[in-house]
Amino acid sequence: MISLPIRDKSGQEVGTYEFDPADLAPGVNRQLLHDVVVMYEANRRVGTSATKSRGQVAGSTKKMYRQKGTGRARAGAKRTPVRRGGGVTFGKVTRDFSYRLPKKAVRLATRMALLSKFLDGQAVVLDELSVDAPKTKVVAGVLRSLGLDRQSCLLAIDEYNADLWKSGRNIADLRVSPAADLNAYDVLRQRQFLVTKAALDKLRGVSAE
C-alpha cells in the first residue's frame, strides 16, 4: 500500500491517503515509458527544414557555353550542385516525424508514469484547490507553502477550471492539467506532481467520498 499525507493550502497535514499501487498500474516498465516519451518528442518536431535541389533553384537551364572548342571543361546549367548558388545534392526536405503507438500502450504508460511519481516520493496530495477568480498569487502561495515553488511542477485537478488554469499560467515551470488530459510525457517532464484528492480519486477510478 502507498500512504501519503493529505495537505491543505497552508501545507499542514490534514489526513492520510492510502491506496493500492495496482489501482494505477501493475508496475513500472521503463522501456515502455522511454518509447512513449520518444513518440511525444517526435510528434513535437516541426520538420520544416529544407534545402533547394537543382530543380528548385532559380536560373536558366541553358548550357553555359558550347561543348567543345573553348579549352574549358564541359559544363551544363548554372544550377548544378557543383557551382556556387546551385542546388544542394541530397539536401533536407520537409518531412513529418510524427507516429503513434497503440492506444493501450500510451494509456498504460501514463498510469505507469503516475505510479513512478508516488514510488519516487515526487507526489504531493492536496486536500482541495479552488479560486474565485484568476489570481496567480493564490496558486503561487500554495506552491510556496508546499515547498514546490523552486521546482518544475505538474498540478492535476479533477476537471477543467478556467480560473485555476489562468491563475497558474504565469508561474514558471508550472503546468495545470485536468486528470483526464494527463499523459506520460507531461508527468515525467515535470519534477514534482501535485494532485488534488478528487483528481487522484478519478485517476484511480473510484468515486469521491
Side-chain angles (χ1 to χ4, degrees):
M1 295 291 289
I2 294 179
S3 178
L4 290 173
I6 301 176
R7 303 190 181 278
D8 60 11
K9 295 180 181 180
S10 62
Q12 299 298 319
E13 184 174 338
V14 295
T16 303
Y17 195 105
E18 294 185 354
F19 67 95
D20 186 352
D23 292 345
L24 291 178
V28 178
N29 187 322
R30 301 175 70 89
Q31 183 61 52
L32 177 58
L33 292 178
H34 171 77
D35 292 342
V36 171
V37 169
V38 170
M39 180 200 72
Y40 280 112
E41 289 284 7
N43 293 344
R44 286 165 56 90
R45 295 186 66 176
V46 180
T48 55
S49 60
T51 55
K52 292 183 178 181
S53 66
R54 62 182 298 170
Q56 297 171 321
V57 175
S60 174
T61 59
K62 180 182 177 181
K63 189 172 175 64
M64 296 178 63
Y65 45 82
R66 61 195 176 112
Q67 181 82 346
K68 295 180 178 295
T70 63
R72 302 179 65 183
R74 54 193 174 184
K78 293 182 180 180
R79 298 188 295 179
T80 175
V82 300
R83 293 190 175 277
R84 181 189 176 108
V88 179
T89 305
F90 305 124
K92 293 182 179 181
V93 295
T94 302
R95 58 177 293 191
D96 182 12
F97 292 93
S98 65
Y99 66 95
R100 294 294 299 177
L101 291 175
K103 289 182 179 180
K104 288 185 177 180
V106 175
R107 291 170 183 162
L108 181 58
T110 300
R111 304 188 73 80
M112 287 182 175
L114 291 170
L115 178 59
S116 70
K117 287 297 182 181
F118 289 97
L119 296 179
D120 295 341
Q122 297 177 340
V124 177
V125 180
L126 189 63
D127 183 24
E128 61 89 23
L129 181 61
S130 60
V131 292
D132 299 330
K135 201 72 174 178
T136 302
K137 184 177 181 180
V138 176
V139 178
V142 173
L143 294 177
R144 193 179 306 109
S145 300
L146 297 173
L148 304 177
D149 55 325
R150 297 182 180 273
Q151 304 178 69
S152 60
C153 181
L154 172 63
L155 170 58
I157 53 181
D158 58 334
E159 58 185 12
Y160 176 73
N161 185 311
D163 290 338
L164 195 53
W165 180 82
K166 291 178 181 178
S167 299
R169 64 180 174 180
N170 288 332
I171 300 177
D173 297 326
L174 174 66
R175 182 178 180 87
V176 181
S177 174
D181 294 343
L182 292 176
N183 61 71
Y185 181 78
D186 288 338
V187 173
L188 295 176
R189 188 165 182 258
Q190 306 300 107
R191 180 69 176 176
Q192 296 291 334
F193 179 61
L194 177 60
V195 58
T196 62
K197 182 178 179 296
L200 186 53
D201 287 337
K202 181 172 291 188
L203 290 171
R204 293 176 54 221
V206 299
S207 58
E209 296 180 359

